Amino acid sequence: MAHIWLLCLVAAAVSAEVKLDCKQNSVSLVWTDSGFDADPSLLRLGNCFPSSFLASDAMFKVDFDHCNFRKMVTGNQLVYTNDLVYMSSPDSHLLPFSETVACAYERPKDWTPVTYEPLFHTWALGDIVFHLQLMNDDFSGPAESTTFVLGSIIPIMGSVEQSSHQPLLLLLDECIAATTPDLQPGSDMYPIITNKGCLIDSKKSRSRFEPRQQSSEIHLSLQAFKFALGQEVFIHCQLWAWDSTGLDNSKKACHYIKDHGWQLLDNPSHSRLCDCCDSTCSSRRARSVSGTAGIQKKAVLGPLTILDS
């Protein structure tokens, strides 16, 4: 399988040399700062930290099945892509940046796409169809079990079918776990996402939003929490289908990263939209470029069960 060498471009704010070596099942990337005092430890390839770093260099040696690489087959090419992200720091004069790196190969003659028949929970609103589903570990298909051990990861995927609409961005405005399929005043509840898209559970757990594969899907890795152990649990979510260019502090997806703070899923350099997650995020009735105020739908996922190990 022949491989193609591709170099990523970085933002003008940071002058750097990037060497990318695309191997058969993995990639090596070396990032070298050219005198702008960038901190190599703040670089991320997808969701992976550098394999090693020095004062001005960062090196990544990773397999394509790690770090949330995206795989796409078009024509005779098999392409793996990922995002090289510089997180910056609050006291740095350097702005965050995010650029794409890619490795392209000849498509294997015996390659066929993975197929499965997902059993989605579906909610329709006009000609817009929403899905919310428990997934397997790599989000490639439906979960085989609805029972999870305390502390393990519960993969959840939301999606919206775009049909003939302009590209839509799917957001989770709110998610609450409860012991009943219908929220009632006396229901036991556990907040997961609150405050207009803030993954509040990520402040005390390993819960996080995963990098998007496409704008119409959102992947949530939720750490199984100590709530209603051994009982049926239902996750109630408010889904938003939104103009992908219309993010603000009331339409966003934010998660908390330890020792870094709140980060915006769709553009870390604009994470200031998450600043309100520790207070109150105002709600304003913005209108998308299509002239609508977005499309929202309530959905319930479950029942699932969390067991103490």
Side-chain angles (χ1 to χ4, degrees):
M1 180 188 295
H3 69 259
I4 298 176
W5 288 61
L6 294 171
L7 295 182
C8 78
L9 301 176
V10 300
V14 178
S15 176
E17 178 185 359
V18 179
K19 296 181 180 178
L20 186 68
D21 183 8
C22 301
K23 302 181 184 299
Q24 183 172 354
N25 298 306
S26 63
V27 63
S28 294
L29 184 151
V30 179
W31 184 95
T32 303
D33 182 23
S34 299
F36 281 79
D37 298 324
D39 183 350
S41 69
L42 298 178
L43 283 165
R44 304 288 183 268
L45 184 59
N47 63 351
C48 287
F49 288 73
S51 304
S52 62
F53 56 86
L54 300 173
S56 61
D57 299 316
M59 177 179 290
F60 296 86
K61 290 186 175 181
V62 296
D63 294 336
F64 287 131
D65 56 358
H66 296 153
C67 306
N68 292 115
F69 269 89
R70 300 177 292 272
K71 181 168 68 174
M72 180 175 64
V73 176
T74 57
N76 293 323
Q77 279 197 328
L78 173 63
V79 183
Y80 292 92
T81 61
N82 210 332
D83 296 314
L84 180 68
V85 178
Y86 184 70
M87 310 299 294
S88 191
S89 60
D91 57 349
S92 175
H93 67 283
L94 297 176
L95 296 175
F97 67 79
S98 177
E99 298 295 335
T100 299
V101 295
C103 290
Y105 303 83
E106 293 180 3
R107 175 178 172 175
K109 291 183 173 57
D110 58 350
W111 184 89
T112 56
V114 177
T115 59
Y116 62 92
E117 297 295 331
L119 299 175
F120 284 107
H121 297 273
T122 304
W123 294 264
L125 187 64
D127 56 350
I128 299 291
V129 180
F130 292 85
H131 306 285
L132 192 64
Q133 173 74 359
L134 290 173
M135 304 296 289
N136 58 18
D137 290 343
D138 61 0
F139 291 89
S140 63
E144 296 181 358
S145 173
T146 58
T147 300
F148 300 88
V149 176
L150 181 64
S152 65
I153 295 298
I154 304 173
I156 297 173
M157 183 177 78
S159 63
V160 58
E161 291 185 18
Q162 311 228 171
S163 185
S164 60
H165 294 266
Q166 67 177 56
L168 295 172
L169 183 73
L170 187 72
L171 300 170
L172 295 175
D173 189 61
E174 179 181 88
C175 286
I176 297 172
T179 54
T180 56
D182 298 310
L183 287 179
Q184 303 166 0
S187 297
D188 290 333
M189 291 183 287
Y190 178 87
I192 299 169
I193 298 174
T194 63
N195 213 355
K196 310 298 179 183
C198 301
L199 180 54
I200 194 69
D201 186 64
S202 63
K203 291 201 72 173
K204 56 185 177 182
S205 72
R206 294 185 292 121
S207 297
R208 59 169 291 138
F209 290 115
E210 300 295 348
R212 290 190 190 267
Q213 307 301 308
Q214 51 188 329
S215 65
S216 59
E217 293 182 357
I218 190 165
H219 293 179
L220 169 61
S221 289
L222 179 65
Q223 186 174 9
F225 38 82
K226 195 173 184 178
F227 169 76
L229 296 178
Q231 301 181 47
E232 288 189 341
V233 173
F234 299 83
I235 297 178
H236 300 253
C237 291
Q238 181 83 23
L239 285 69
W240 269 94
W242 190 253
D243 166 25
S244 60
T245 64
L247 293 176
D248 59 39
N249 64 359
S250 66
K251 299 292 178 292
K252 62 192 184 303
C254 300
H255 55 204
Y256 190 85
I257 298 177
K258 186 179 180 181
D259 299 327
H260 177 73
W262 287 101
Q263 179 176 293
L264 185 69
L265 168 65
D266 294 292
N267 190 342
S269 65
H270 290 168
S271 291
R272 64 182 182 277
L273 296 181
C274 305
D275 289 349
C276 62
C277 283
D278 288 322
S279 55
T280 301
C281 297
S282 60
S283 177
R284 62 183 181 88
R285 191 173 178 79
R287 301 184 72 83
S288 70
V289 293
S290 64
T292 67
I295 303 166
Q296 55 181 313
K297 188 67 179 177
K298 292 183 178 179
V300 183
L301 183 61
L304 56 93
T305 307
I306 300 173
L307 300 178
D308 193 332
S309 59

